[in-house]
Every structure is written in structure tokens, then in C-alpha cells.
Amino acid sequence: FAAPELAGDVESPLLPPPPLHNSTRNGLQKTNPAFHLIVPASESNPELCKSLLSSFVLSYPSATLVNYGKRFDEDGWDKGSHAGKIRGVFDFLSDKSQVKDDDLVLIVDGYDAWFQLPPEIMIRRYHTLISEANERLRRRYGMVTEGKPGDGTADRVQKYTQKVIFGADKICWPNPKEDPACAAVPYSTLPKDAYGPDTDKDPEAYHNRPRFLNSGTVIGPAEDIRAIYNYAVQKVEKDHRGTIGDQFVFAEIFGEQEYQRETLRRSSQGTGGRFYDWLSNTLGTSESPLSANITINNMTTVPGQRYEYSIGLDYTSRLFQTMTHSAADLAFLSYNSSASLASIRPLTATNPPLFLPLDLQSADPPFSYASPGNHTPTPPTSDSTKPLLLPYSPHLDTLPPAQDAPSWLTTPLATNTRAASIPPLLHLNGDKSLLDAWWPNLWFHPYARALLRQFIRSTQTLTAAKAAADGGQKWWDSRGGRGGVWTDGGRWMAWGEVCRGVEAEVFADGLGVWAKEEGGNGGRVVNSFGKVIVEGDE
């Protein structure tokens, strides 16, 4: 059988799902798993709009805002929604009329996450990381027999598998350091000397490899993520722990999973396995965190409670780059000069050279994702039969001509120089000053308004258009509308409704209010689906 594909013939290591009749809000029938972008955000601000803009110009599906318009008690930078978003996301994932079990779900924090690479790269790397992680789990924990031997139903399968990937952080917080969330989780897959002789020994964590769960980014099948959120809701609501946030809860769930895995592995070992563990612990080469000379609070195991959730982390920042104590690891690099790349860091056996990954070498050019078909800024010909949703303006829509448009090779990209990776998404947790300082460094920022206008004019995003043209099982979902978002209550909101008034912070181009730059009347514009894509004045 064939594995499900992403637009662009990207192979997936996951088993193909059975054909579905997945109905969208518009009544359109589709027989493929969907890709959902879920963004918990209770209200709009410039940081949310930066995140949304980055998703638009790279052709991600229209985001679903969870908890939008709801009020929370706290006044922190996250609008007090850390605990509330657990219930909100779970409720949305539980709506199986919109989210099928085999749909792919990407959940990102709403106020500090930026995209810099297209979704096809994100999804392709997700499948690759899952495949690599499952091979590591097979080697460490082995196989088990499912079914009854002798009756034809027995099958050998991996004892543990991974399906869900969270971001990885260098510090464990806010959980106590003796809890499994901090003390029982696996070590990073980065080289043990990734930061030199001080690797993993830095009390300030700057030179430590990331190994702790960060709840701000997660990707995986809807069925598996729904189960994780269900357990998180139980911890927060049924166990009367409503004051703890999502970071604490999901780190705790991951710690419990890993503690159970290692405890069961050690208790089931034979003489040879126990000797190997003793020897590796004595030599300081053990891969088991339970072998470290630290105190770990024992778990209170509840009979019948599930602790296995197929969770793993993105240790190498091939999907998500967290920023706590990691800003110094990043540099905005162009890959058209091997000499300048070689000067970034010394080459060692565990410090490979920096180069543009093969998936980006074969990807469509950066500017193409904002609009399928005609990728040039040339205005339409006079005989065009399709009216433009935003009329072309040489003052607002100027982009480099096709022959001068940047490629991924010449585009400055945020690069983790320690992991030699270019993450599709930057999660700017930690130092919030980076939200202002680094935003102008993103490759699309100088052309943000023009790219957004081009995106809204397109009848379909590039990736969705490819999926429709290719047919078959494609990882995509499109409920209609461009340049806007859905709420978890089913309301469509255009960019101008969500983000008008933040132009100075988001575009920083001095061109004024969205859709009124040239003295327009700000009238409402509706696309072919009947959805508002430019909101008019009240």
C-alpha cells in the first residue's frame, strides 16, 4: 500500500488511514486527512498578528483561534490563558465533525511563534523525526507480542512508539527539579560535546543540550494529541489543580511516561541487561536518566491509569526552535557563501558543516507560497476575466522581479548553529525583547504587506492548490477564505478584522492602515466562497 502524501510527493512513514468522508463547514466532501493549525489566543495584539502573517505568506492553512474573545483573570503577557487553553484545545479537538482522528494537528502558542519555512517542510520533517525516534525506541525497548500465539492473531510490534512531537527546552520549569518531568526524561540526541567540554554542566543552562518538554509547540495525529489533552484536563480539573498551567501539566505527563518506561525496562531485565546497566553507569555512559546520581520523586501509580502517550521531543530543532537560554545558538544566515558559513563555528567530528538542507534545495522559491500560478508582481492584463480581490497597486505590491527574487539559498534564515538545523518555526519564549528585535530579520518582513496582499488575491494557497490538483490522500484542509482565521466557535474573521491597527508594529513600512493605504473607502471584499477577506468599516 502507499503511504499518505503531502503536496509535492512527500512520503509518510505512517500507515495510510482508511478513506474518510470528511465534511467541511462549507459542505465540501474530502477523502484525505486534514492538516490543522491551532493557535490558542484569547485576544488580538501585534504579536498574534505577526504569527498569523508568517503563516499566511508561507501558505499554512487558516489558523483556528482557540478561546478567542474569552476573558481570563490574569494580566500576564499570555493573557492568563495557560490553564484555560488546555480545556479550549481539548474541546476543539473533540469536535469530530471538524477534526478526524487521523488528521495532522499543529498547535502553537499565539503570542510568540513565527513561521519561517513552508508547511511541506514541516510535515516532511515531522515524518522523518517520527521514523528516527521509533527506530531508537525499538533498539532500546524492543518488541512485544500482541494477540494470542497459536491462533493466528499474534503479531510482533514495538513495545513503545512515538507519534507526537513537542518542542525541547534547555531548562525544566516550573516543575520541581526532583520530579520525573525534570529528572526522568531522556537525554538529548545532540552530540554530548555539542557545546564543548561544558556541555550539560552549565548551571545557567546556556551550554546545556535541550531535553525538557516545552508545551508551546506540538504536532501529531489528532487522536493522540486529543488523548494527551484529555489527561491534562483530568489533571487540571478533576484533580482540582486549576492554578497550574499547561507547561507544568504537559511536562508532568511526559515525565510520567518516561519514568514508567525506564522503570519497567529495568525491572524486566535479565542478568546480562542488569550487568550492562551497571557497567555503563559506572563508566558514566548510561543513557538512562534513572541511573544518574540524583534524587527523583517516585510516582504514585494509579491502577488503570494510562501513562503511555507516544510523546517525544524535537531535540535537534528541525521543527521547533525554543528560545529560552538558546538565543546565542541562533544566527540569521544566507547559504550562498561557503566561506562565511565556515567562519560561523569551528568544524569538529561532531560539528558538521552548515549547508542548505536538501528539502529546502528542492522547495519552491520563498515568494511563491503567497500566491500559486503567477508569482510575479505584474498587474493582470486588461482581458482578465477574474476581478482582483485587492486591486494591484504599484505603490503597495512591489516585489522583486522574478529573475531577482530571492531563493532559499540567498534568503537569510534563522539557523541553530549548534544543531546545524533551520527550524520551520521559531518559538520566542524566554526573552520577550526578541519579539521586537528579531522580527525585522525574518526574510519576508521587508515585503510583508505586498506578500499578504498577494496571498489574499490568490484563489488558493500554493500547497492547497497542489493537493487539489494531485488528488488522492493529501495532508491539507481548506475551509474557504484567504488571509483570515477561524475561531473555535466557527466564526470567520478576516485579517482586517483581527489585525487592523497594528500595521506599525507588524509591517513597519509607514504605509498606513490596512486596506485604506491609498485613500480607499475600506469597503468589504468577499471572496468566491462568500467569506469576507477584507473587512469593511462599521
Side-chain angles (χ1 to χ4, degrees):
F1 51 80
E5 296 177 313
L6 169 73
D9 296 325
V10 179
E11 294 184 357
S12 159
L14 299 181
L15 295 178
L20 297 175
H21 291 292
N22 192 353
S23 179
T24 69
R25 294 186 190 277
N26 295 314
L28 302 175
Q29 299 294 317
K30 65 191 200 65
T31 59
N32 53 290
F35 178 37
H36 300 271
L37 172 58
I38 300 175
V39 180
S42 58
E43 66 182 52
S44 180
N45 66 16
E47 305 313 326
L48 174 65
C49 295
K50 291 176 183 178
S51 180
L52 295 178
L53 174 65
S54 70
S55 73
F56 294 159
V57 301
L58 282 159
S59 198
Y60 280 80
S62 297
T64 297
L65 300 187
V66 169
N67 288 338
Y68 194 80
K70 293 184 179 179
R71 303 294 299 175
F72 294 93
D73 294 334
E74 300 175 18
D75 295 323
W77 69 271
D78 69 317
K79 310 306 175 191
S81 61
H82 269 290
K85 75 180 182 184
I86 299 175
R87 164 57 74 177
V89 171
F90 174 69
D91 287 345
F92 177 73
L93 293 176
S94 299
D95 181 2
K96 294 191 177 182
S97 68
Q98 295 302 317
V99 184
K100 306 301 182 184
D101 286 349
D102 57 355
D103 287 353
L104 190 63
V105 171
L106 172 62
I107 306 172
V108 305
D109 278 353
Y111 300 111
D112 57 1
W114 304 335
F115 295 95
Q116 70 163 350
L117 300 183
E120 64 195 58
I121 302 295
M122 174 82 76
I123 298 175
R124 182 183 299 177
R125 290 185 186 177
Y126 160 76
H127 291 314
T128 299
L129 287 171
I130 289 294
S131 180
E132 293 173 358
N134 282 329
E135 176 59 21
R136 290 195 302 270
L137 291 172
R138 185 194 63 79
R139 291 198 306 264
R140 182 160 186 80
Y141 296 105
M143 311 286 286
V144 294
T145 300
E146 283 190 350
K148 296 180 180 179
D151 67 358
T153 64
D155 193 14
R156 294 288 287 173
V157 298
Q158 282 191 214
K159 186 171 185 179
Y160 301 119
T161 59
Q162 182 173 320
K163 298 180 182 179
V164 176
I165 302 177
F166 281 85
D169 223 331
K170 290 185 177 182
I171 61 173
C172 186
W173 64 278
N175 310 67
K177 65 179 181 179
E178 299 85 7
D179 278 9
C182 300
V185 296
Y187 297 112
S188 173
T189 59
L190 284 177
K192 293 182 179 180
D193 62 348
Y195 293 87
D198 293 333
T199 301
D200 294 344
K201 300 174 184 177
D202 183 358
E204 299 297 325
Y206 291 99
H207 291 166
N208 294 351
R209 296 176 297 169
R211 59 179 285 225
F212 306 108
L213 182 145
N214 182 279
S215 66
T217 51
V218 58
I219 187 172
E223 181 178 27
D224 298 277
I225 293 183
R226 185 189 305 122
I228 297 168
Y229 271 82
N230 186 29
Y231 188 27
V233 167
Q234 173 186 319
K235 283 179 170 290
V236 171
E237 296 182 2
K238 294 183 180 180
D239 297 343
H240 305 292
R241 301 166 72 196
T243 58
I244 62 175
D246 63 311
Q247 174 61 41
F248 187 103
V249 172
F250 291 115
E252 185 174 76
I253 292 173
F254 181 51
E256 291 175 351
Q257 170 188 281
E258 297 305 315
Y259 187 87
Q260 286 288 101
R261 285 180 178 181
E262 276 300 292
T263 299
L264 292 174
R265 183 191 69 83
R266 293 170 60 146
S267 65
S268 63
Q269 283 181 322
T271 302
R274 289 195 298 270
F275 174 76
Y276 177 80
D277 268 7
W278 171 84
L279 180 62
S280 60
N281 188 39
T282 302
L283 297 175
T285 60
S286 175
E287 292 298 320
S288 174
L290 302 190
S291 299
N293 187 23
I294 57 176
T295 300
I296 300 180
N297 294 333
N298 289 329
M299 282 177 55
T300 301
T301 303
V302 179
Q305 174 62 55
R306 173 182 173 182
Y307 294 104
E308 179 57 44
Y309 287 95
S310 299
I311 299 172
L313 307 187
D314 176 20
Y315 299 107
T316 55
S317 300
R318 280 187 277 173
L319 297 179
F320 313 126
Q321 174 64 59
T322 60
M323 216 62 68
T324 303
H325 293 214
S326 297
D329 298 344
L330 266 71
F332 285 84
L333 304 177
S334 297
Y335 284 78
N336 57 344
S337 171
S338 57
S340 62
L341 292 173
S343 68
I344 297 297
R345 60 178 189 171
L347 295 181
T348 67
T350 57
N351 221 13
L354 296 169
F355 64 91
L356 192 70
L358 294 177
D359 54 10
L360 275 177
Q361 292 182 33
S362 61
D364 290 308
F367 281 8
S368 69
Y369 289 89
S371 176
N374 179 14
H375 299 152
T376 72
T378 306
T381 59
S382 58
D383 61 352
S384 173
T385 60
K386 182 174 291 186
L388 287 178
L389 300 173
L390 285 174
Y392 177 84
S393 165
H395 180 55
L396 303 175
D397 293 305
T398 300
L399 292 170
Q403 65 272 20
D404 297 328
S407 67
W408 292 114
L409 195 67
T410 60
T411 297
L413 298 168
T415 302
N416 185 318
T417 60
R418 298 289 182 171
S421 62
I422 305 173
L425 183 142
L426 306 178
H427 180 205
L428 286 86
N429 59 332
D431 182 2
K432 296 304 176 185
S433 68
L434 297 178
L435 291 169
D436 293 325
W438 281 14
W439 176 244
N441 295 338
L442 292 181
W443 63 267
F444 53 79
H445 182 263
Y447 310 99
R449 191 185 297 256
L451 288 170
L452 179 59
R453 287 170 56 86
Q454 181 170 278
F455 175 79
I456 290 176
R457 277 200 296 268
S458 68
T459 57
Q460 257 189 333
T461 63
L462 178 61
T463 309
K466 284 184 175 180
D470 292 345
Q473 293 180 340
K474 300 292 180 182
W475 290 104
W476 205 251
D477 176 36
S478 181
R479 287 176 285 184
R482 296 291 173 264
V485 297
W486 294 96
T487 69
D488 49 356
R491 178 189 174 196
W492 170 259
M493 295 191 298
W495 168 268
E497 182 178 0
V498 180
C499 293
R500 184 175 291 184
V502 300
E503 290 83 1
E505 297 90 340
V506 174
F507 299 127
D509 56 9
L511 294 177
V513 176
W514 174 256
K516 297 177 115 179
E517 298 95 338
E518 296 182 318
N521 60 11
R524 171 177 290 195
V525 179
V526 180
N527 72 0
S528 57
F529 294 101
K531 301 296 182 183
V532 177
I533 62 168
V534 177
E535 187 63 58
D537 293 334
E538 296 293 335

